[in-house]
Amino acid sequence: MSPSVPLQEMIRAIRSARTQCEERGVIQRECAAIRAQFRQADNGGRSHNLAKLLYVHMLGYPAHFGQMECVRMIASSRYSEKRVGYLGAMMLLDEKQDASLLITNSIKNDLSHSNQYVQSLALCTLACMGSAEMCRDLAPEIDRLLRASNSYIKKKAALCAVHIVRKVHELGELFAPAARSLLSEKNHGVLHGAVVLITELCERSSESLERFRKTVPDLVQIMKGLVISGYSPEHDVAGISDPFLQVRLLRLLRILGRNNETASDAMNDLLAQVATNTDSTKTVGNAVLYETVLTVLDIKSESGLRVLAVNILGRFLLNNDRNIRYIAMTSLQKIVGTDHNAVQRHRGTIVDCLKDQDASVKRRALDLSLALVSASNIRSMMKELLLFLSSCPPELRSQAANGIFTAAERYAPSKRWHIDTILHVLITAGGDVRDETVPNLIQLITNTSELHCYTVHKLYRALLSDISQQSLVQVACWCIGEYGDLLLRGDCQEVEPMQVCEDDVLDALETVLQSHMSSTATRGFALTATMKLSTRITDNVDRIRSIVSIYGSCIDLELQQRAVEYNALFKKYDHMRYAKKDSTHFCCCGVILFCSVNSFAFNVILEPECEQLTMHVLTLYGLTL
Amino acid sequence: MIRAILIFNNHGKPRLSKFYEHYTEDTEQQIIRETFHLVSKRDENVCNFLEGGMLIGGSDYKLIYRHYATLYFVFCVDSSESELGILDLIQVFVETLDKCFENVCELDLIFHVDKVHNILAEMVMGGMVLETNMNEIIMQVDAQNKMENTFLWELFIGIKPEIGSNFK
């Protein structure tokens, strides 16, 4: 009896529940009834109960108590019970459950059943959830079925063999001969299964790959038959004869032709034929064309064919259908390493796709754009990428920001451009960059001594307008602390003149210290910067001293420690502060301070005069050089 | 390889869930919820491919989906499947359901979920595409349904399973 009727009643009852709580109640009652039924002896309604349980499982409620019932049902002799039992096994059992071993024997018996539908149930279940032991036990049975049965069973056995090979790689050897002989079948389902099996075998071992290279002529023959033959109603999908099989064959040919001249030669004509004759007005045709293009670009094809393939991709890129554009970009991504120049020709279209509304298309366009950046187009590409960054969806931001940094590092035409770009990214998407960005940027700035003045001015301005982006604020604070004297001097040529007095700078740093948006690390930077300024400014040292001492009683341990140590510096070494006005000494002190509180390994070049000062500072921190 | 096939309606209620890799029940429900969340945000005229869910398989997998009236048909596949091919497969699946149920609608899927599983089992097996010819699929499904309804079939059993007799 079909399990449907009582199942439908239960479904109706569940659907009539108006709240989640009511639904839970209905399901709990049903599950209790089902459990009671399972414990009873055989009754006519076993399959109904299991079917109900599976429905409940789909909705998300626990159903593990049905596992043993599945085992029992599989062993039953009634087809309807077997069917539901196997379905239950696929949904509820897996390798980790002990119950799955119990069905091995049932599957073995069913595989040699006289009825093909029982055999197919067993094959289906084995292919879905067969564990490695089950596969080892039953592999000879599958091999037998591959050779001597009807086409319905053969095609299922082929896919079952694929699953077995995935679980137990060594068994691939067992299936190779049978797979080879399956290629001479006429039934498309069997051919399809055979091609999938051969693909799996070739991907797993290189000996199989060598062996199956000899089948390339046969495969080409089959493919030609599909392409040239007239209209065949049973396999036709929108005018193309069995496109699924065509796609599989092309994929297998790709694997066989890779890095092999002879095999590739044998395929050239066929690929050219498919590429020119396939109708590309419908999705189906495009699927085949797309696969052909990928194959052409992956094997050792002749150059005329390659040009044809890239042109087809270019046509795809301009297609109105977004699916086709997405696919084109995915395939261009695969060849951008090998055929870089060919892909560069389509850069304009790809960059336009960055502005598409579809998030998937944007993602592909971003990946491809980052791959296309080179020394010659860096300026224009960066403009587009920065524009993209300001309006891109949040899930793509960190990828975009990091990609921009990598590109800028590799191809920056000038230091100033590099710094400008990084600052732009920090202002737009400072929250999404990686942690190493801050120290990397600081190192970059330190090494670009001619731009210190320009950099500190720019950062100061950025700080004034927005203190919410932590990375930006940290770098800005560090710069102000380090090059504050350049800022105060105010005679930079590259930016518009701006009068900055000591109070303004200290105001800015204090705002950062007091803002609730600043993280602890940022406050640390700001505090250190304030301290460093004490050696560079003349009038407001008292103000600095008071700021620093406030933090001597701060709750945060790190800040408190720093503040106390800085206070000590103020008291103990005040006489040394103005001893030598040579900026290297102050720089040296500042760098060591910076090193110790940020645990960096900087190379500090010490001059003999400041050695004494340095040693004092180091003892204060308990460090050695 | 196809990792999972999900059908759910516009409110996220699952109508069919078939996983070809093992996950715990909680993870399965989480996957269904996350997939619904990702797919329902999409506009009508964007492409049918989605990336970016974190649950199944990490970055190698894509969601290929089609929206028909009140139902979403979602296939989670990895990179070894042809994306356009899977789109066509979804179309073949829906057309087969239409033939089997006579103008299929969501209610048919709700009340006959076991039949839908049987049809799907003729098309996709172990995460791989088995048969794509609609007529062949329907023929096999009909034959199996006939077998279920034939009570006398039991009299013609070839080999009686040994373990079965212990459990009876």
Side-chain angles (χ1 to χ4, degrees):
Chain A
M1 226 166 57
S2 153
S4 289
V5 174
L7 171 64
Q8 285 172 21
E9 282 171 11
M10 184 191 81
I11 296 177
R12 237 172 253 131
I14 295 177
R15 276 167 65 78
S16 60
R18 260 160 293 152
T19 63
Q20 182 79 320
C21 189
E22 244 183 274
E23 182 182 291
R24 266 200 297 270
V26 171
I27 290 183
Q28 266 171 6
R29 275 197 301 279
E30 289 285 346
C31 283
I34 294 172
R35 253 190 292 240
Q37 298 256 345
F38 282 171
R39 269 182 247 127
Q40 283 178 12
D42 174 29
N43 49 16
R46 276 182 9 185
S47 53
H48 315 156
N49 294 321
L50 192 54
K52 284 190 208 170
L53 188 60
L54 295 178
Y55 182 81
V56 162
H57 171 78
M58 178 182 76
L59 290 180
Y61 296 90
H64 44 268
F65 57 88
Q67 285 170 7
M68 282 313 292
E69 187 68 11
C70 291
V71 175
R72 260 176 254 142
M73 301 268 284
I74 289 175
S76 147
S77 50
R78 285 209 202 114
Y79 181 71
S80 56
E81 294 185 354
K82 259 198 211 293
R83 201 182 204 187
V84 181
Y86 275 117
L87 181 60
M90 282 191 270
M91 287 176 78
L92 299 177
L93 292 177
D94 74 291
E95 324 182 335
K96 302 189 194 71
Q97 319 283 357
D98 297 324
S100 61
L101 288 174
L102 295 173
I103 63 175
T104 314
N105 211 9
S106 297
I107 295 185
K108 190 166 190 174
N109 290 328
D110 284 338
L111 281 176
S112 26
H113 205 277
S114 57
N115 186 301
Q116 63 172 1
Y117 296 113
V118 175
Q119 284 177 312
S120 90
L121 285 177
L123 283 170
C124 192
T125 309
L126 182 61
C128 270
M129 43 78 70
S131 65
E133 293 86 39
M134 287 165 77
C135 290
R136 258 187 268 264
D137 276 340
L138 298 168
E141 284 294 311
I142 305 296
D143 189 46
R144 188 181 57 82
L145 287 173
L146 271 179
R147 293 168 200 278
S149 51
N150 61 24
S151 42
Y152 178 67
I153 293 298
K154 269 190 195 162
K155 78 182 178 200
K156 295 206 171 188
L159 288 189
C160 202
V162 175
H163 176 86
I164 293 179
V165 169
R166 282 190 186 148
K167 283 282 177 199
V168 185
H169 304 324
E170 304 82 49
L171 288 172
E173 285 302 311
L174 175 65
F175 293 119
R180 177 82 199 251
S181 61
L182 282 178
L183 279 181
S184 45
E185 293 273 334
K186 291 278 169 279
N187 181 298
H188 280 213
V190 180
L191 273 178
H192 188 269
V195 172
V196 176
L197 179 56
I198 297 175
T199 313
E200 187 68 27
L201 291 173
C202 291
E203 278 176 346
R204 295 266 163 204
S205 92
S206 42
E207 300 96 47
S208 301
L209 188 59
E210 283 306 316
R211 199 183 318 157
F212 281 110
R213 278 229 175 86
K214 302 191 198 88
T215 61
V216 170
D218 297 320
L219 295 169
V220 170
Q221 207 51 41
I222 300 174
M223 188 75 191
K224 272 214 177 95
L226 287 173
V227 174
I228 302 179
S229 71
Y231 176 69
S232 127
E234 37 185 55
H235 299 298
D236 182 270
V237 180
I240 311 254
S241 181
D242 207 343
F244 298 97
L245 183 58
Q246 288 195 29
V247 165
R248 285 276 173 215
L249 279 168
L250 286 166
R251 208 171 263 249
L252 178 57
L253 286 173
R254 187 185 331 160
I255 295 175
L256 293 174
R258 212 179 267 158
N259 293 328
N260 185 295
E261 291 283 345
T262 19
S264 307
D265 283 337
M267 300 174 208
N268 266 320
D269 287 338
L270 170 70
L271 292 171
Q273 197 169 17
V274 177
T276 36
N277 286 351
T278 312
D279 174 20
S280 64
T281 47
K282 298 245 176 71
T283 312
V284 199
N286 284 324
V288 176
L289 263 183
Y290 167 55
E291 209 64 36
T292 315
V293 164
L294 285 182
T295 304
V296 165
L297 293 170
D298 212 8
I299 65 174
K300 290 195 180 306
S301 49
E302 46 187 44
S303 55
L305 201 48
R306 284 188 101 86
V307 169
L308 178 61
V310 178
N311 285 344
I312 295 179
L313 279 184
R315 252 188 12 237
F316 275 3
L317 212 49
L318 297 166
N319 196 306
N320 281 331
D321 187 350
R322 279 205 175 87
N323 287 336
I324 308 290
R325 264 186 282 162
Y326 177 93
I327 294 295
M329 284 197 280
T330 315
S331 38
L332 285 173
Q333 183 86 32
K334 294 194 182 131
I335 61 168
V336 76
T338 46
D339 293 77
H340 193 92
N341 295 329
V343 184
Q344 282 282 5
R345 246 178 277 142
H346 302 285
R347 200 179 68 233
T349 330
I350 295 169
V351 166
D352 280 336
C353 285
L354 279 173
K355 305 187 190 101
D356 197 300
Q357 297 162 330
D358 183 342
S360 297
V361 171
K362 272 200 185 118
R363 188 188 284 261
R364 290 280 126 238
L366 176 65
D367 281 342
L368 208 44
S369 306
L370 289 174
L372 285 177
V373 171
S374 73
S376 47
N377 58 28
I378 179 74
R379 282 188 197 267
S380 49
M381 285 297 278
M382 198 48 82
K383 240 186 283 177
E384 297 288 345
L385 286 171
L386 289 174
L387 198 60
F388 173 70
L389 188 62
S390 49
S391 60
C392 79
E395 60 266 12
L396 291 177
R397 276 182 124 172
S398 96
Q399 190 187 351
N402 292 325
I404 290 176
F405 281 152
T406 322
E409 223 171 276
R410 275 161 129 197
Y411 301 113
S414 74
K415 291 266 185 196
R416 179 170 157 179
W417 181 93
H418 194 175
I419 291 179
D420 276 340
T421 311
I422 299 188
L423 288 182
H424 193 134
V425 175
L426 285 180
I427 293 173
T428 334
D432 296 298
V433 299
R434 281 200 294 254
D435 295 331
E436 312 88 72
T437 319
V438 172
N440 285 345
L441 181 56
I442 289 177
Q443 179 143 31
L444 177 66
I445 295 175
T446 318
N447 292 338
T448 324
S449 45
E450 66 273 16
L451 289 174
H452 284 165
C453 191
Y454 168 74
T455 316
V456 72
H457 271 95
K458 273 210 101 164
L459 281 169
Y460 178 68
R461 262 168 246 247
L463 192 63
L464 286 180
S465 51
D466 175 22
I467 57 169
S468 60
Q469 303 274 32
Q470 298 303 301
S471 333
L472 183 64
V473 173
Q474 286 172 9
V475 177
C477 288
W478 183 87
C479 259
I480 293 173
E482 192 67 21
Y483 308 118
D485 47 334
L486 294 175
L487 181 64
L488 293 166
R489 224 182 299 154
D491 59 353
C492 184
Q493 286 147 342
E494 282 136 346
V495 295
E496 0 171 307
M498 190 168 144
Q499 250 326 89
V500 184
C501 72
E502 295 174 3
D503 275 316
D504 293 332
V505 178
L506 288 175
D507 281 339
L509 286 175
E510 235 181 324
T511 323
V512 174
L513 275 171
Q514 289 163 355
S515 161
H516 62 275
M517 288 189 277
S518 307
S519 68
T520 318
T522 314
R523 286 212 181 94
F525 270 91
L527 195 59
T528 312
T530 320
M531 178 61 190
K532 283 199 235 170
L533 278 180
S534 69
T535 56
R536 286 162 178 68
I537 62 179
T538 45
D539 298 331
N540 287 357
V541 183
D542 290 323
R543 186 175 168 188
I544 293 182
R545 200 182 295 209
S546 63
I547 296 176
V548 172
S549 57
I550 289 175
Y551 281 86
S553 43
C554 171
I555 291 181
D556 183 80
L557 192 60
E558 173 81 16
L559 287 177
Q560 193 188 95
Q561 182 181 358
R562 288 187 199 202
V564 166
E565 285 161 355
Y566 294 159
N567 264 331
L569 266 180
F570 267 117
K571 293 192 193 101
K572 269 186 155 183
Y573 300 102
D574 213 27
H575 62 282
M576 277 198 204
R577 184 180 303 284
Y578 299 105
K580 310 228 167 145
K581 293 255 165 98
D582 191 338
S583 60
T584 45
H585 300 164
F586 305 131
C587 269
C588 175
C589 191
V591 165
I592 296 178
L593 273 176
F594 176 68
C595 287
S596 59
V597 300
N598 291 292
S599 320
F600 270 89
F602 264 59
N603 284 329
V604 180
I605 302 168
L606 289 184
E607 288 159 67
E609 296 94 34
C610 56
E611 207 177 303
Q612 191 195 21
L613 175 60
T614 320
M615 286 329 223
H616 280 297
V617 176
L618 286 176
T619 26
L620 185 63
Y621 280 91
L623 294 174
T624 48
L625 247 176
Chain B
M1 185 185 147
I2 302 176
R3 301 274 177 114
I5 297 179
L6 306 170
I7 305 179
F8 43 77
N9 69 0
N10 289 344
H11 303 293
K13 269 215 110 84
R15 296 300 174 212
L16 179 99
S17 67
K18 180 86 185 167
F19 289 88
Y20 293 99
E21 284 207 342
H22 183 75
Y23 300 99
T24 62
E25 284 163 1
D26 286 331
T27 319
E28 283 185 4
Q29 289 302 310
Q30 230 180 321
I31 290 173
I32 295 176
R33 270 197 303 271
E34 193 196 51
T35 311
F36 169 66
H37 186 67
L38 286 171
V39 159
S40 55
K41 278 195 295 195
R42 306 276 286 171
D43 272 336
E44 276 312 309
N45 52 353
V46 297
C47 70
N48 298 99
F49 310 113
L50 250 186
E51 296 168 66
M54 275 291 109
L55 269 181
I56 319 184
S59 56
D60 188 32
Y61 95 108
K62 288 197 182 85
L63 292 172
I64 303 181
Y65 72 97
R66 275 207 129 127
H67 190 186
Y68 294 92
T70 60
L71 289 174
Y72 286 98
F73 285 70
V74 184
F75 279 46
C76 306
V77 305
D78 67 10
S79 53
S80 69
E81 295 288 337
S82 159
E83 292 98 340
L84 293 177
I86 295 290
L87 266 186
D88 287 328
L89 187 66
I90 300 179
Q91 186 68 23
V92 171
F93 183 33
V94 172
E95 280 173 15
T96 313
L97 287 176
D98 199 35
K99 262 265 179 73
C100 287
F101 284 106
E102 317 274 326
N103 289 326
V104 67
C105 64
E106 190 181 340
L107 283 178
D108 290 316
L109 298 190
I110 297 172
F111 284 102
H112 298 282
V113 66
D114 51 331
K115 288 214 180 71
V116 182
H117 267 289
N118 294 333
I119 295 173
L120 189 58
E122 289 299 321
M123 289 181 67
V124 179
M125 191 172 108
M128 292 163 282
V129 178
L130 173 66
E131 177 65 61
T132 53
N133 181 336
M134 191 167 73
N135 296 323
E136 174 76 19
I137 298 168
I138 295 176
M139 193 177 76
Q140 301 297 348
V141 169
D142 282 342
Q144 295 183 41
N145 286 337
K146 238 193 298 197
M147 257 185 56
E148 270 199 19
N149 295 328
T150 318
F151 217 70
L152 297 174
W153 171 82
E154 291 156 87
L155 297 180
F156 294 93
I157 299 171
I159 305 169
K160 201 160 184 128
E162 285 157 346
I163 294 187
S165 46
N166 289 340
F167 273 91
K168 277 225 163 146

